[in-house]
Amino acid sequence: GEDVEQSLFLSVREGDSSVINCTYTDSSSTYLYWYKQEPGAGLQLLTYIFSNMDMKQDQRLTVLLNKKDKHLSLRIADTQTGDSAIYFCAETLFSGNTPLVFGKGTRLSVIA
Amino acid sequence: GAVVSQHPSRVICKSGTSVKIECRSLDFQATTMFWYRQFPKQSLMLMATSNEGSKATYEQGVEKDKFLINHASLTLSTLTVTSAHPEDSSFYICSARETQGTGEAFFGQGTRLTVV
């Protein structure tokens, strides 16, 4: 079945760039998402990318998609302490009645 | 953008009682909503797919008599945890996707259930 894998932890210094990686198995995935979750809170959509795109940039966030390797990454430029959170990668098909499949989440710790 | 509202955000209940959690799509119609459960420091696990006007589809291992789902309108799905036990304590999150447009998924704020 579908599976999404992420590394569990990442620690970076404030001001550096963070790169969070994700791999998925379902080659028919159409949408790939990055969500942020702060302690005790719900999910905040950061960005998403269609499978026919290679890259998407939105301010400090850059998403890279390697469809051949089924690899997705999220780069956060100039990482701030407020970026400390858990980041979830998720994938789904185009159809609006299919759920998202989530990775286990990467806990990003930003050191001042 | 589209918003999904989930209520309540926190609830504490006694063992044996039932708790209802509501999930509303505020500015779009959602024929399908999803209910997830998140254990501490773990990922979101899909519990069930809620279909408007029909029975929910439950994932393997999720007790349908324990977690009652009702999707009576295109903007409201409810999850009722029946005869709650401490092991039901968890973070429950609902989601709805736009069936048109980008198909983006929107999430509620989540409900932290504590059963004492």
Side-chain angles (χ1 to χ4, degrees):
Chain A
E2 303 160 21
D3 194 21
V4 178
E5 298 285 340
Q6 297 178 243
S7 53
L8 296 181
F9 300 99
L10 177 65
S11 181
V12 298
R13 293 196 176 277
E14 191 174 20
D16 289 349
S17 292
S18 307
V19 179
I20 303 171
N21 295 301
C22 169
T23 57
Y24 59 98
T25 57
D26 190 346
S27 58
S28 56
S29 297
T30 308
Y31 292 86
L32 296 130
Y33 300 83
W34 284 105
Y35 285 89
K36 177 182 180 182
Q37 187 179 36
E38 298 186 33
L43 292 173
Q44 174 194 353
L45 176 65
L46 289 178
T47 186
Y48 63 88
I49 189 169
F50 295 108
S51 59
N52 62 357
M53 298 168 66
D54 298 324
M55 186 184 86
K56 182 177 180 181
Q57 187 157 2
D58 183 2
Q59 299 182 337
R60 293 192 296 125
L61 305 178
T62 303
V63 178
L64 295 178
L65 175 60
N66 182 328
K67 198 173 179 183
K68 174 176 172 288
D69 295 337
K70 301 192 190 75
H71 182 266
L72 182 73
S73 69
L74 173 69
R75 179 177 180 271
I76 305 173
D78 187 24
T79 311
Q80 302 297 307
T81 54
D83 295 324
S84 293
I86 300 176
Y87 291 80
F88 290 97
C89 169
E91 59 89 14
T92 191
L93 302 176
F94 173 78
S95 172
N97 62 0
T98 56
L100 273 61
V101 177
F102 287 86
K104 288 184 166 52
T106 300
R107 183 178 295 275
L108 174 64
S109 297
V110 182
I111 305 165
Chain B
V3 176
V4 172
S5 176
Q6 188 173 340
H7 178 80
S9 57
R10 289 181 183 274
V11 59
I12 300 173
C13 71
K14 292 185 177 180
S15 289
T17 61
S18 295
V19 173
K20 180 186 284 189
I21 303 170
E22 292 188 347
C23 181
R24 294 180 184 273
S25 56
L26 296 185
D27 55 2
F28 67 103
Q29 293 183 335
T31 56
T32 305
M33 291 186 179
F34 308 97
W35 288 95
Y36 293 84
R37 180 175 181 176
Q38 187 181 31
F39 291 100
K41 298 184 180 180
Q42 294 191 26
S43 188
L44 282 77
M45 301 297 294
L46 179 67
M47 297 174 65
T49 300
S50 170
N51 305 297
E52 187 268 333
S54 64
K55 292 182 179 180
T57 305
Y58 290 82
E59 295 299 298
Q60 192 173 6
V62 178
E63 299 175 59
K64 62 180 181 181
D65 295 329
K66 172 77 166 172
F67 300 99
L68 299 179
I69 292 173
N70 184 277
H71 194 152
S73 77
L74 288 172
T75 60
L76 174 64
S77 175
T78 61
L79 168 68
T80 302
V81 182
T82 63
S83 186
H85 289 111
E87 58 264 31
D88 298 325
S89 298
S90 192
F91 193 57
Y92 294 87
I93 306 178
C94 71
S95 171
R97 293 184 64 184
E98 290 185 314
T99 51
Q100 298 178 1
T102 65
E104 183 177 342
F106 299 94
F107 286 83
Q109 306 93 316
T111 298
R112 175 140 336 260
L113 170 64
T114 303
V115 184
V116 298

